[in-house]
Amino acid sequence: MQAKKRYLALLSAAASLVLLFCLGGVQVPATSSSRGGGGGGGPGRRRHPAAERPWPRFSDPLPSFAPPESHSDAAAEEEAEERGAHSSPRLKRDVNSSVYRARRCRMESCFDFSACERNGFKVYVYPQQKGDKISESYANILSAIEGSRFYTSDPGQACLLVLGLDTLDRDQLSPQYVHNLKGKVQGQPLWNGGRNHLIFNLYSGTWPDYTEDLGFDIGLAMLAKASVGAENFRPGFDVSIPLFSKEHPRAGGERGSLRSNTIPPFRKYVLVFKGKRYLTGIGSDTRNALYHVHNAEDVVLLTTCKHGKDWQKHKDARCDRDNAEYDKYDYREMLHNSTFCLVPRGRRLGSFRFLEALQAACVPVMLSNGWELPFSEVINWNTAAVIGDERLLLQIPSTVRSIHQDKILALRQQTQFLWEAYFSSVEKIVLTTLEIIQDRVFQHTSRSSLMWNSHPGGLFAMPQYSVYLGDFPFYYAQLGVKPYPKFTAVIHAVTPLVSQSQPILKLLTAVAKSHHCAQIIILWNCDKPLPAKHRWPATSVPVIVIEGENKVMSSRFQPYETITTDAVLSLDEDTVLSTTEVDFAFTVWQSFPERIVGYPARSHFWDSNKERWGYTSKWTNDYSMVLTGAAIYHRYYHYLYTNYLPASLKNMVDQLANCEDILMNFLVSAVTKLPPIKVTQKKQYKETMMGQSSRASRWADPDHFAQRQTCMNKFASWFGTMPLVHSQMRLDPVLFKDQVSILRKKYRDIERL
Amino acid sequence: MCASVKYGSRGPALIPRMKTKHRVYYIALFSVVLLGLIATGAFQFWPHSIESAAEWSVDRRSVHDAPLVRLPANSPIPERGDLSCRMHTCFNVYSCGYNPKNRIKVYIYPLQRYVDELGTPISSTGLSREYNELLSAISDSDFYTDDVSRACLLVPSIDVLNQNSLRVRETAQALAMLPRWDRGTNHLLFNMLPGGPPDYNTALDVPRDKALLAGGGFSTWTYRQGYDVSIPVYSPLSAEVDLPERPPGPRRYFILSSQTALHREYRGELERLKEENGEAVLLLDKCSNLSQGAVSSRKRCYKSQVFDYPQILQESSFCVVLRGARLGQAILSDVLQAGCVPVILADSYILPFSEVLDWKRASVVIPEDKLPEIYTILKGIPHRQVEEMQRQARWFWDAYFRSMKAIGLTTLQIINDRIYPYAARSYEQWNNPPVVQWSSVNSPLFLPLIPPRSPGFTAVVLTYDRVESLFRVITEISKVPSLAKLLVVWNNQNKSPPEGESRSSSKFKCPECTAIDGLSLDQTHMVERSECINKFASVFGTMPLKVVEHRADPVLYKDDFPEKLKSFPNIGSL
């Protein structure tokens, strides 16, 4: 009995347990699955089981938002068509251009494209009237335009017109302010309501509210303006430019201050700022609150009340304390020793601090709500700056501290790239402005965002050359593609073909034997007529003879359409090269497609006695140029040489019949910021080069050398800086002159004398 | 239940004096009652979730169950959209807060059916399939929150995708009645077909105050840059038709126009283009002679020839996308899906997601009045670029156009990137298709810099126990002028490193380290290293190492030149 009961009890207990488990146990997995099921697409992730679930799954058939019969606007269109009410697209465009004017201007409605299509993108600058004083900055802007390849002196040819009147400073209290600009502008015969005009402005409005009013009606003109607010900015029509001081150099400009990357990329300070706090007038709301974030250790945000004459009158309770703290720190020291630099708005949205921080490789932290950042149409500022929100000032320290060091490293390098590509000189700022407008005018040949935002930048990457990024030497790595594995040899012939033992024929045969050679172009720059076809040796690759245009030096760098390969092997007619050397140079070039890879190297130096650049052909431990008498480079540089460089430099080269190789080296180094690459040369090269070859006269000529020195100084002054970079490295074949059997070496001919 | 079981087992100890049989009986009875109670309680208090759990899997809900809201005729209407709105003026950033994930929280209002005073619904379609998909996608995403007080962005469940099916005034009233409307601050509306006849505005006509608009078909005059989001017009064909990806390459036709409701002027110009260029241009229209049964939206005709749409799009290199009454065209999505390069002729159109997508790599944008010249313009594009664009077009569709989910989440990501710009997705992440992301090389040190010698370098020497050779290395290295620091990593747990800072190697003797040549001659060593290489390559998924045939030497290396004039004279004698 007892046992029976015990069993009964046990049984019933077990039964209830099972029952409970059935009810509760099913329960537990069900809820847990609905809680945890995130990625699996479970219907919900409930945190509070009582709350309404996110978005129900509806079982009933729902209609499409655009039923097929009226899909897109087809039906509507037809209907309108039938009623005849639908206006023609052409009419619509006309309506747009009459409705959207002045503050609602866009390229479509306010710009006349026809002049640009007829004559290309040409810019006309009004002549300066007597009695009109223009500021130094504006003079720099105008001379940058006049020195550019866009300039035309014929207003009939012009696509874009720039006033000769100084519109930079429109602050009435400023000494630079031009009075009665309205009347003067309206009086211009070509003004035409401002159509196709570009107006530059740095300062607008005045104390106390600093509006963005220019004080005259710009009509249909485009505005290239600093510190422009998003409210007034006409996207795709205006251009936002940086605020620059009158000391900003016209050309060249200082390089970015970053010399080497440090890893980890942290500097002494995390975030710094040093500037005025305005006691009257607008612009200080954010600056007034900075002291909350200042910690006198790694976040140093300093303000001073001292500005103007009567600041004492307005001073507030914090002024004395702030001023004392302010004087403890040196601005430049902080700028160069901080990871981030705060750029809060001042009187106007932009400040000089922005460019200063950019150059100092101090990542700008923008606190200027509504500022349309400089060249925002093309520059992706997120890659070079931290765009903060003035409303979230107190979060800024934790925000910048949360940025990962990899990101800091990238931001910092990008500041340097952008500074050198677009901001370091007035010329670059002006050219960038013009290129942006040109991109809008010829929309289908315009730069992609990648071209603007990666090295070497939009000014050196010209979309007119090709819209395919893989045709440029700069983007192979980013696109994951490789340059075309063959080259075109271009031989520059200047002497008539008289004997079959001339070096040019030997060269031709040697180059043609290279299995990387696609074709050989002989550029006939000799006054004698072309030799008969049969006099050229038979080769396995096609030989094309082109007669040089005007037989001038620059024609060797013409972007001939017959050059279809990415690589160009440029050769003088008296160059002596073996097939192995050519092959090796080409394999090296494939690793460095953006640089000049070649044999004869030269160097430059600063001659401090004469205060000028010197040129040397002596064998030294370093070099900065590789002569194009035997060098491989990307064919894009032909295009750049012909289209980027000004006529003045090219004419100089043509007249001297000299220096074209130096100019090419200047150009490539200016683009890449890197030295060329010298590869192993056979000893004999130099001897022939200096020896009794046909060009001996040219090299022996003492003038020749002096000319090259002059050239170099002329080029450096146009570039505004010395772009050449020294290198101490030569690339030799692996195993070169190593103590191993010559049979194991691939490029063994290079070692043989 | 745990407690009751424990109680049962402990029972004998707790009630010792009771007779065993009674004791067991009572205990058993008690536990049965207790368990029964618990079970009933469980059943009583949890039935809701049990039921809904069952329902969640099957999910039977109807839109008709949604609560009905009657709009009073005089209920307020929001102001028209404010054209000057920008994130810093109209958007309340405080509600997004600072969060370590840098992700915004999005709340979706529960579905309600709005009717006016007479009981007529404010929309002829109510919730559309597409908007439902969009909202489900958002609610399944990491952006979603069900807590309205934590939400940064609020999405009304009122469907405004197609303005034609809306009653504009009443819809606006319904928006204004949303509990957290607050003049539309932080509200996001999705609209794909804006405007109505005859002049078709390019943005939604529903007054919406400060609300953000994700719109298809913005023009440069209605788009508030950095505030609105331009989205594509979803093409229902995306879900219906499965077009396998075609590798980029030349196609049968050069230019294809397949839009059906083109304006006379455009059609005339296209026909002229066709006359000039013959076979290369294919000009399709809708079919007039099809039998009733066939789906007209899936067929296109040229004269009597019938083509399958959208399959025919894959046969052309370029596909014309002309504006209609509206700027945004659903055909853009079909064209991208087919990997055909869109030739977009719609002046002032803001391309979908143009804030982040680089359309120059996937399309050709040509002003409308240049339509007669498109053949010449397109012929000027290098064929490799055409292939690149074909691939890019398909990738854009795959990533951003293919479903309402893709469109919705891309929109949210764009807004997210604005609110946390320092954590925004990069250009490469947005624009590089996976194949490029794998093959491209983006060096973390991308700036061309030639660092000065001054900071010098740090030498790191890894050593196990060969002290003598270590000291030799140290002695040699320390002669180098640009050496800034020397770091020795002692990689031997059994021995402690030699003491002292002295650099003289004679002080220390190491009897075991006579055989220093060792490692590289050892056969197993090489085998191990090959295995390493294979292992690493398989983890990387590709072989990242590149083979080159050159070596860097000093300029005058082994040249016949006075050694004393060389910067690195001894380098050859190693």
Side-chain angles (χ1 to χ4, degrees), chain A residues 348-365:
Chain A
R348 301 180 178 85
L349 288 168
S351 63
F352 293 121
R353 213 156 264 102
F354 182 63
L355 285 190
E356 286 166 357
L358 216 56
Q359 188 196 358
C362 184
V363 178
V365 176

Side-chain angles (χ1 to χ4, degrees), chain B residues 311-481:
Chain B
Q311 286 81 354
I312 182 64
L313 294 174
Q314 290 196 309
E315 301 298 323
S316 180
S317 298
F318 292 98
C319 293
V320 177
V321 179
L322 264 165
R323 64 168 300 159
R326 293 192 181 90
L327 286 169
Q329 297 286 317
I331 192 186
L332 178 61
S333 173
D334 299 339
V335 166
L336 294 175
Q337 183 183 13
C340 182
V341 180
V343 182
I344 299 166
L345 297 108
D347 289 359
S348 78
Y349 178 40
I350 304 290
L351 289 166
F353 304 131
S354 57
E355 189 171 335
V356 294
L357 299 189
D358 187 353
W359 280 97
K360 279 172 194 153
R361 286 172 65 184
S363 71
V364 186
V365 178
I366 293 176
E368 285 171 43
D369 58 3
K370 288 214 176 156
L371 179 57
E373 297 161 40
I374 59 169
Y375 190 83
T376 0
I377 291 172
L378 297 178
K379 269 291 169 195
I381 299 175
H383 71 95
R384 278 191 295 176
Q385 174 66 5
V386 178
E387 288 176 13
E388 180 78 21
M389 290 196 288
Q390 286 171 338
R391 183 180 67 181
Q392 195 77 6
R394 172 72 188 203
W395 147 249
F396 276 3
W397 182 82
D398 270 333
Y400 310 114
F401 281 66
R402 68 180 308 146
S403 60
M404 287 305 288
K405 177 180 178 178
I407 295 172
L409 297 186
T410 307
T411 309
L412 294 185
Q413 185 63 46
I414 289 175
I415 295 171
N416 195 79
D417 282 5
R418 291 183 193 154
I419 292 167
Y420 305 106
Y422 42 87
R425 292 185 62 180
S426 68
Y427 171 89
E428 286 76 19
Q429 286 171 315
W430 282 112
N431 289 288
N432 281 356
V435 50
V436 175
Q437 272 168 22
W438 277 107
S439 59
S440 68
V441 184
N442 284 317
S443 161
L445 304 175
F446 55 83
L447 193 72
L449 277 181
I450 299 181
R453 287 187 189 183
S454 53
F457 67 93
T458 303
V460 180
V461 188
L462 178 71
T463 183
Y464 183 68
D465 61 357
R466 293 180 299 163
V467 181
E468 199 159 298
S469 125
L470 169 69
F471 286 142
R472 205 163 53 225
V473 169
I474 292 176
T475 330
E476 281 303 314
I477 294 277
S478 54
K479 289 179 194 160
V480 179

Side-chain angles (χ1 to χ4, degrees), chain A residues 595-620:
Chain A
R595 290 156 83 171
I596 299 179
V597 175
Y599 293 93
R602 297 289 181 269
S603 193
H604 77 282
F605 62 93
W606 177 249
D607 189 339
S608 47
N609 293 332
K610 292 182 186 159
E611 295 260 301
R612 51 181 271 162
W613 295 103
Y615 171 87
T616 172
S617 63
K618 290 205 184 85
W619 278 28
T620 51

Side-chain angles (χ1 to χ4, degrees), chain B residues 139-173:
Chain B
S139 82
D140 287 347
S141 73
D142 289 339
F143 292 112
Y144 181 74
T145 180
D146 54 9
D147 182 357
V148 68
S149 59
R150 292 177 56 200
C152 161
L153 206 58
L154 300 101
V155 181
S157 56
I158 303 167
D159 182 353
V160 293
L161 280 183
N162 183 355
Q163 192 188 314
N164 274 355
S165 57
L166 295 180
R167 295 166 66 198
V168 171
R169 196 188 125 87
E170 285 76 9
T171 309
Q173 286 175 326

